[in-house]
Amino acid sequence: MKKGTKKSTEIRSAARKLLDQIAASPTAYHVCANIRRELLANGYRELRESEPWELKAPGGYFVERNDSSLIAFFPGSRPSAGYRVFACHSDSPALKLKESPELEQEGYLRLNVEKYGGLLCAPWFDRPLSLAGRVITDDGTELSTRLVNIDRDLLMIPSLAIHFNREANDGYKYSIQKDLLPVFGDAADKGQLSSLISRTAGVRAEEILSQDLYLYARDRGTFWGAGEQYLSSPRLDDQECVWCGLAGLLTSDPGECTRVLCVFDNEEVGSGTRQGAAGTFFADVLERIEEASGRSAEERQIAIANSVMISADNAHAVHPAHIDKADPVNRPHMNGGIVLKFSANQKYTTDGISAAIVRKICRDHDIPLQIFHNHSDLAGGSTLGNISGTQVSMTTADIGLAQLAMHSPYESAGAEDVTHMIRFARAFFDVIS
Ligand code: CO
């Protein structure tokens, strides 16, 4: 990519926007709040699960569950054409604050945490961290939720010096309880955490009844490499797919199919929650759409039979130092375009039919496509596509963008791939199968 060309400026500005969106979204709650803001700005109407739905007004709608999962949809002109569903996840691996987190040790004040999801421990050390999430408050009349982001360098998890463990570079088994508790201050700061949180939330400390707060890495996203062709940021898995899916939805043209963006929480812990892909959120929303539109149970089944889902979650790029971990042939590279994932045991949902749909979109729209297979001797990961399929069964393909250092608090991907995914999502919403 030649620098300074119109195309390179477009690619750079799409990637820059992604990095800004991720920086503003340290937790799944912030992801949903920021998507909500963009949807409202684009004329989408907010629905609540606890209220009746009226879908007469033209345009798009959205609904949230638990403030951490969100489904947006734009009804199509021909209901029997079905749904085009782009599904991704709002959460990323992190360390979550336990109850009564302040822990005094040797004159230091540390915070008691436990792990959320399959995080890589080592990169959480020796970098500025902070806290974000939500608090639930009681103002005397009702409970309400407030987002919190302590927007400054607040915490650190210091490494043990090599002088005390000469074998540190030969591998180390981390104890979350012993090694991963961040330093918050000294003994004199005891009691400060709750006042810092309540001040940030704009409420009195005694109003806060409970909280869901997570550590997050403070590093900002950056471009790097000889041609600045790579980018790094916290939470690329899976916010890269989230924000590209949203951009695709907002720039696609209304068509016959109902376009749906599903952003599920809790993929990193198996999806088995009320708001996760294994819960009933998506099935419930489809039922509400069909019911509010006055369609019969049979018409609903016809719509679902004609539907296609894309399960979009980032994929592993081949690591230059560990090519032995990759399939000998089907090994994606950063900036190589959309990654179509296959797994014979159906951890990835892609099959011949759904692969053909993805290939056709990429061929018709000149979007580069590459393939991921696990090395045949490795189990590999899984994602939300096959889990969602147990609740609502549609033709589904698993895709993603190639990245390195998955589940590190600072991951790397290809800057050009952002544009590829936005273009793919846009084209997918219009596809007729
Ligand atoms: Co993921």
Side-chain angles (χ1 to χ4, degrees), residues 27 29 66 96-97 132-136 210-214:
T27 70
Y29 310 110
N66 187 48
K96 187 176 186 193
L97 217 57
R134 67 176 177 182
V135 293
I136 317 302
S210 57
Q211 60 197 32
D212 293 295
L213 295 173
Y214 297 83

Side-chain angles (χ1 to χ4, degrees), residues 134-171:
R134 67 176 177 182
V135 293
I136 317 302
T137 62
D138 177 12
D139 64 4
T141 53
E142 60 174 1
L143 301 185
S144 51
T145 300
R146 281 171 192 255
L147 291 188
V148 175
N149 178 10
I150 301 172
D151 193 9
R152 70 176 174 90
D153 298 345
L154 181 71
L155 307 168
M156 189 72 68
I157 306 173
S159 291
L160 178 68
I162 191 149
H163 313 78
F164 300 120
N165 179 11
R166 294 287 180 189
E167 286 81 47
N169 293 329
D170 302 331

Side-chain angles (χ1 to χ4, degrees), residues 89 237-238 267-268 313-314 383 407:
H89 67 90
D237 172 15
D238 187 30
E267 190 277 339
E268 299 294 359
D313 195 0
N314 268 359
T383 179
H407 292 192

Side-chain angles (χ1 to χ4, degrees), residues 353-367:
I353 302 290
S354 60
I357 293 170
V358 170
R359 282 209 168 98
K360 182 165 168 50
I361 293 171
C362 289
R363 197 172 61 187
D364 291 352
H365 295 268
D366 200 19
I367 299 166

Side-chain angles (χ1 to χ4, degrees), residues 18-26 149 216 219-221 233 235 239:
L18 169 77
L19 295 181
D20 290 344
Q21 286 166 316
I22 294 176
S25 308
N149 178 10
Y216 73 93
D219 312 66
R220 287 297 297 240
S233 166
R235 303 179 294 283
Q239 287 195 41

Side-chain angles (χ1 to χ4, degrees), residues 39-222:
L39 290 170
L40 288 171
N42 281 274
Y44 276 66
R45 290 177 173 79
E46 183 162 18
L47 301 166
R48 287 179 215 288
E49 288 196 279
S50 55
E51 293 170 5
W53 288 13
E54 180 76 64
L55 304 181
K56 295 224 167 62
Y61 298 84
F62 69 95
V63 56
E64 285 184 84
R65 186 178 277 190
N66 187 48
D67 310 315
S68 62
S69 290
L70 183 148
I71 296 177
F73 60 94
F74 196 107
S77 60
R78 189 167 64 88
S80 63
Y83 297 90
R84 296 296 170 269
V85 186
F86 188 98
C88 44
H89 67 90
S90 55
D91 60 323
S92 299
L95 294 160
K96 187 176 186 193
L97 217 57
K98 289 182 175 175
E99 296 290 308
S100 309
E102 290 185 355
L103 200 64
E104 205 180 324
Q105 285 176 326
E106 201 56 36
Y108 294 105
L109 206 55
R110 297 171 84 197
L111 300 183
N112 196 10
V113 296
E114 58 184 327
K115 78 183 175 86
Y116 174 86
L119 52 89
L120 272 175
C121 290
W124 282 86
F125 287 80
D126 306 324
R127 60 173 69 220
L129 308 169
S130 193
L131 278 172
R134 67 176 177 182
V135 293
I136 317 302
T137 62
D138 177 12
D139 64 4
T141 53
E142 60 174 1
L143 301 185
S144 51
T145 300
R146 281 171 192 255
L147 291 188
V148 175
N149 178 10
I150 301 172
D151 193 9
R152 70 176 174 90
D153 298 345
L154 181 71
L155 307 168
M156 189 72 68
I157 306 173
S159 291
L160 178 68
I162 191 149
H163 313 78
F164 300 120
N165 179 11
R166 294 287 180 189
E167 286 81 47
N169 293 329
D170 302 331
Y172 179 79
K173 185 169 170 27
Y174 294 100
S175 155
I176 303 289
Q177 192 65 67
K178 176 183 161 80
D179 297 315
L180 272 291
L181 309 193
V183 175
F184 168 59
D186 56 36
D189 296 313
K190 201 164 173 62
Q192 287 301 307
L193 183 66
S194 62
S195 54
L196 179 59
I197 292 166
S198 57
R199 236 184 3 261
T200 309
V203 295
R204 287 176 290 121
E206 55 272 25
E207 285 179 57
I208 296 180
L209 290 181
S210 57
Q211 60 197 32
D212 293 295
L213 295 173
Y214 297 83
L215 268 60
Y216 73 93
R218 294 283 297 161
D219 312 66
R220 287 297 297 240
T222 189

